[in-house]
């Protein structure tokens, strides 16, 4: 699983010193790559795959969202493979700058969510996590001046950013199966921070009113709404000194002193034991790509058509916020059970499921079909998986928290179109294989518009499924007409999936 097929075969039939040296170097590099794919707390102390781990944390959360990426992607698409590499270079320059600012300001990057970032600034003895986060946000906005004029064949384009910040307690959960672990954040504070980003203004740092009350009196803010304010950047050019001395993550060391077959075998066994929990956080197809590209240390970027689905599981966050400490373990176990079932359905259908992302109400799960598989009926499989997920969630018993039951439900949106698939982040640092583009945004917008228990799809998905099904009537639809989606100038024709005859 952690070796390319050719190297695995060679190690099996000819396990001499030369072959074992290549295996050792490959696994050591792979471990370093996988350590960069996960947050620091997982890299330094990973849980046992298949076992639940949860912890309440106090601190400040910072969300970012990028504006202008879709236009930039369209400009580079016409250049094919060269354009994909050029776009990746711009993105990685952007992410590298932002991650460095977060790290220098005393924060930890938790996750890339499309073209967005989520970072935490842990509460410490000084209690200045909110100040560190706001300074980081202001520094990040200043750094966006480097992306105000990006020269392309379509002319000069720009990237801009929103930043949202809130402080409070949130529950970090690691859960799943030995084959696939997932991490998510739960709690009202997470959604408050996401709400601050969504309500914010491009080029500014937006705080919740509760977070703003923790700023010193000499900080200036502008009211934005009853619940949000904008920070005024009226500081000196350098915003003061950085909060900590910046250090990049150190890769775990593996020094080989015993170069006998027995010594190699012992070190290789240790590396496999270290790699296994890290690898469990990657979908199997992405892990296979990482293994195949170890020597290049980067998965190639490309533009590719995909079928993209978002699943929003309603009810989890509300239950989490009201759970007593003695109910927490059962809640985490139930969440892990639901996520693992969804991942099983997706994997069986040839899809890829990412970690839950963080939206205004409940966690969203990004799922996509077609990137790393050889199937030709991506839309049909996506819609059928959506039906299976809806049926599974509907049959689950309600979560009991105290005296109140919480019945889980799903909102699902599916879109089809071109995406940018690449390993984004720092080329030799924190990074993640991700998909970005307007297709992803449309699927997310459809999910937000769907009612509980409803799956919405675009006209393109509808037509593809009808073509793939032929004259069978396994899946039925209802035409909802043209509707307006947030952020879209034109109304879109959408359909609801109303039945699955299996």
């Amino acid at each position: 699983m952690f070796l390319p097929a050719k190297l695995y075969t060679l190690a099996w039939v000819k396990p001499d010193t030369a072959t074992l040296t290549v295996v050792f170097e490959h696994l050591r590099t792979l471990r370093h790559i996988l350590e960069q794919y996960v947050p620091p707390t997982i890299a330094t102390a990973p849980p046992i795959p298949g076992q639940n781990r949860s912890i309440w944390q106090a601190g400040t959360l910072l969300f970012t969202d990028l504006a202008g990426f879709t236009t930039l992607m369209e400009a580079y698409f016409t250049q094919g493979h060269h354009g994909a590499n050029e776009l990746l270079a711009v993105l990685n320059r952007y992410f590298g700058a932002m991650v460095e600012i977060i790290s220098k300001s005393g924060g930890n990057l938790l996750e890339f969510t499309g073209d967005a970032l989520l970072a935490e600034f842990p509460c410490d003895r000084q209690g200045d996590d909110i100040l560190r986060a706001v300074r980081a946000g202001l520094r990040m906005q200043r750094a966006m001046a480097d992306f105000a004029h990006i020269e392309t064949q379509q002319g000069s384009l720009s990237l801009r950013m929103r930043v949202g910040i809130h402080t409070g307690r949130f529950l970090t959960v690691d859960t799943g199966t030995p084959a696939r672990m997932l991490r998510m954040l739960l709690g009202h504070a997470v959604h408050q921070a996401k709400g601050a980003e969504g309500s914010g203004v491009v080029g500014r740092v937006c705080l919740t009113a509760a977070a703003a009350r923790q700023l010193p009196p000499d900080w200036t803010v502008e009211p934005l709404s009853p619940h949000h304010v904008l920070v005024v950047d009226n500081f000196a050019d350098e915003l003061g000194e950085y909060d900590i001395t910046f250090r990049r993550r150190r890769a775990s060391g593996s020094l080989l002193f015993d170069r006998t077959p027995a010594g190699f075998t012992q070190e290789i066994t240790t590396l496999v034991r270290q790699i296994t929990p890290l690898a469990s956080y990657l979908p199997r197809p992405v892990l296979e790509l990482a293994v195949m590209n170890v020597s290049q240390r980067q998965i190639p970027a490309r533009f590719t058509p995909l079928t993209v689905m978002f699943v929003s599981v309603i009810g989890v966050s509300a239950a989490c916020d009201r759970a007593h400490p003695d109910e927490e373990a059962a809640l985490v176990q139930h969440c892990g059970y639901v996520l693992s079932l969804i991942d099983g359905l997706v994997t069986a259908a040839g899809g890829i499921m990412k970690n839950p992302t963080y939206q205004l109400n409940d966690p969203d799960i990004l799922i996509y079909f077609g990137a790393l598989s050889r199937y030709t009926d991506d839309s049909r499989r996506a819609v059928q998986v959506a039906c299976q997920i809806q049926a599974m969630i509907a049959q689950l018993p309600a979560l009991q928290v105290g005296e109140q039951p919480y019945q889980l439900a799903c909102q699902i949106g599916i879109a089809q179109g071109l995406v940018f698939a690449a390993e984004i982040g720092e080329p030799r640092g924190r990074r993640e294989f991700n998909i970005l583009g307007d297709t992803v945004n449309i699927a997310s917008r459809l999910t937000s518009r769907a009612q509980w228990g409803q799956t919405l799809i675009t006209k393109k998905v509808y037509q593809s499924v009808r073509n793939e099904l032929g004259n069978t009537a396994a899946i039925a639809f209802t035409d909802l007409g043209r509707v307006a989606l947030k952020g879209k100038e034109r109304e879109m024709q959408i359909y609801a999936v109303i039945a699955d005859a299996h």
Side-chain angles (χ1 to χ4, degrees):
M1 176 168 56
F2 302 142
L3 298 177
K6 184 177 180 180
L7 182 56
Y8 174 84
T9 302
L10 183 62
W12 182 260
V13 301
K14 191 181 178 183
D16 57 16
T17 300
T19 300
L20 293 177
T21 299
V22 176
V23 171
F24 173 79
E25 294 296 341
H26 171 92
L27 292 175
R28 184 166 61 174
T29 303
L30 178 62
R31 181 191 59 191
H32 174 63
I33 291 171
L34 296 183
E35 284 175 335
Q36 308 300 339
Y37 258 74
V38 296
T41 52
I42 296 177
T44 55
I48 299 173
Q51 293 189 11
N52 294 330
R53 182 173 73 178
S54 63
I55 182 172
W56 281 97
Q57 295 178 260
T60 300
L61 294 174
L62 179 151
F63 274 98
T64 72
D65 192 32
L66 204 56
F69 175 77
T70 298
T71 304
L72 189 66
M73 173 179 155
E74 292 171 349
Y76 281 113
F77 171 67
T78 59
Q79 302 176 49
H81 178 69
H82 174 73
N85 288 333
E86 289 292 309
L87 178 57
L88 180 62
V90 173
L91 275 178
N92 283 352
R93 185 161 58 89
Y94 159 75
F95 281 119
M98 299 304 123
V99 172
E100 181 171 352
I101 289 172
I102 290 168
S103 298
K104 282 185 173 182
S105 303
N108 296 317
L109 176 65
L110 296 182
E111 190 156 326
F112 298 96
T113 58
D115 57 13
L117 295 172
L118 169 61
E120 67 165 340
F121 293 79
C123 184
D124 55 18
R125 292 181 180 178
Q126 287 74 34
D128 64 350
D129 48 287
I130 182 66
L131 295 180
R132 287 185 281 120
V134 175
R135 288 194 189 102
L138 294 174
R139 289 166 180 149
M140 293 164 75
Q141 291 292 13
R142 290 184 179 187
M144 291 305 295
D146 293 338
F147 303 92
H149 302 286
I150 303 169
E151 297 303 324
T152 73
Q153 291 184 352
Q154 307 298 322
S156 180
L157 300 175
S158 66
L159 290 176
R160 297 178 297 165
M161 183 176 64
R162 289 192 303 270
V163 175
I165 294 174
H166 180 66
T167 186
R169 294 176 71 246
F170 50 93
L171 183 66
T172 301
V173 177
D174 293 287
T175 186
T177 68
R180 182 67 199 281
M181 290 292 287
L182 296 157
R183 160 163 283 212
M184 62 179 174
L185 268 61
L186 296 173
H188 187 60
V190 181
H191 308 297
Q192 290 285 91
K194 182 62 178 176
E197 176 269 303
S199 301
V201 176
V202 169
R204 303 292 298 275
V205 175
C206 179
L207 272 67
T208 60
R213 286 193 288 271
Q214 299 188 37
L215 293 177
D218 57 339
W219 284 56
T220 306
V221 298
E222 297 174 354
L224 180 64
S225 72
H227 305 290
H228 299 100
V229 302
L230 298 174
V231 180
V232 177
D233 185 357
N234 55 5
F235 295 90
D237 289 343
E238 296 301 323
L239 265 175
E241 296 295 327
Y242 274 108
D243 299 283
I244 63 170
T245 301
F246 177 57
R247 294 187 180 93
R248 289 189 178 273
R249 283 198 216 179
R250 289 184 178 179
S252 302
S254 286
L255 299 177
L256 186 60
F257 297 104
D258 183 357
R259 291 184 172 268
T260 66
F264 271 113
T265 300
Q266 181 177 350
E267 289 299 325
I268 288 171
T269 300
T270 299
L271 283 170
V272 170
R273 186 169 63 249
Q274 294 170 344
I275 289 171
T276 298
L278 302 174
S280 68
Y281 281 88
L282 275 66
R284 180 59 63 87
V286 177
L287 175 62
E288 291 173 354
L289 264 185
V291 169
M292 290 168 49
N293 291 278
V294 160
S295 59
Q296 292 80 28
R297 295 198 176 198
Q298 186 172 27
I299 299 172
R302 61 174 177 151
F303 299 109
T304 184
L306 289 185
T307 300
V308 180
M309 174 166 66
F310 271 98
V311 177
S312 182
V313 183
I314 308 298
V316 172
S317 290
C320 172
D321 284 325
R322 292 170 175 80
H324 297 294
D326 58 350
E327 297 173 318
E328 184 179 307
L331 174 62
V332 170
Q333 183 176 9
H334 191 81
C335 290
Y337 174 73
V338 172
L339 292 176
S340 296
L341 287 178
I342 294 174
D343 181 63
L345 293 172
V346 171
T347 302
I352 294 175
M353 171 175 152
K354 286 180 57 62
N355 265 305
T357 56
Y358 316 104
Q359 299 302 326
L360 294 179
N361 297 312
D362 283 276
D364 275 6
I365 304 168
L366 172 60
I367 298 164
Y368 52 97
F369 296 80
L372 308 175
S373 69
R374 298 179 180 177
Y375 292 100
T376 58
D377 56 347
D378 298 326
S379 294
R380 179 188 63 80
R381 287 180 293 111
V383 170
Q384 287 182 331
V385 167
C387 293
Q388 293 167 1
I389 292 173
Q390 294 282 22
M392 182 268 291
I393 294 292
Q395 293 170 6
L396 289 174
L399 276 170
Q400 293 293 331
V401 176
E403 300 296 323
Q404 185 173 351
Y406 290 85
Q407 186 65 54
L408 300 186
C410 271
Q411 297 167 279
I412 299 179
I414 307 176
Q416 186 183 67
L418 188 72
V419 305
F420 179 62
E423 194 177 57
I424 62 171
E426 300 174 287
R428 291 295 183 267
R430 182 77 166 90
R431 59 195 190 273
E432 184 176 306
F433 184 79
N434 222 325
I435 62 169
L436 306 89
D438 199 42
T439 302
V440 180
N441 298 334
I442 292 172
S444 178
R445 300 288 188 268
L446 289 174
T447 303
S448 300
R449 189 178 182 88
Q451 299 176 4
W452 289 18
Q454 187 180 48
T455 298
L456 299 182
I457 62 175
T458 62
K459 182 178 181 180
K460 191 171 184 178
V461 173
Y462 167 77
Q463 291 174 334
S464 296
V465 175
R466 297 295 296 178
N467 291 335
E468 292 163 1
L469 286 174
N471 295 325
T472 64
I475 302 174
F477 308 90
T478 183
D479 187 344
L480 299 181
R482 300 185 67 82
V483 301
L485 297 179
K486 181 181 177 181
K488 298 298 168 187
E489 294 181 0
R490 298 181 180 180
E491 294 182 338
M492 295 188 66
Q493 185 84 19
I494 65 172
Y495 296 79
V497 181
I498 59 173
D500 178 18
H502 305 288

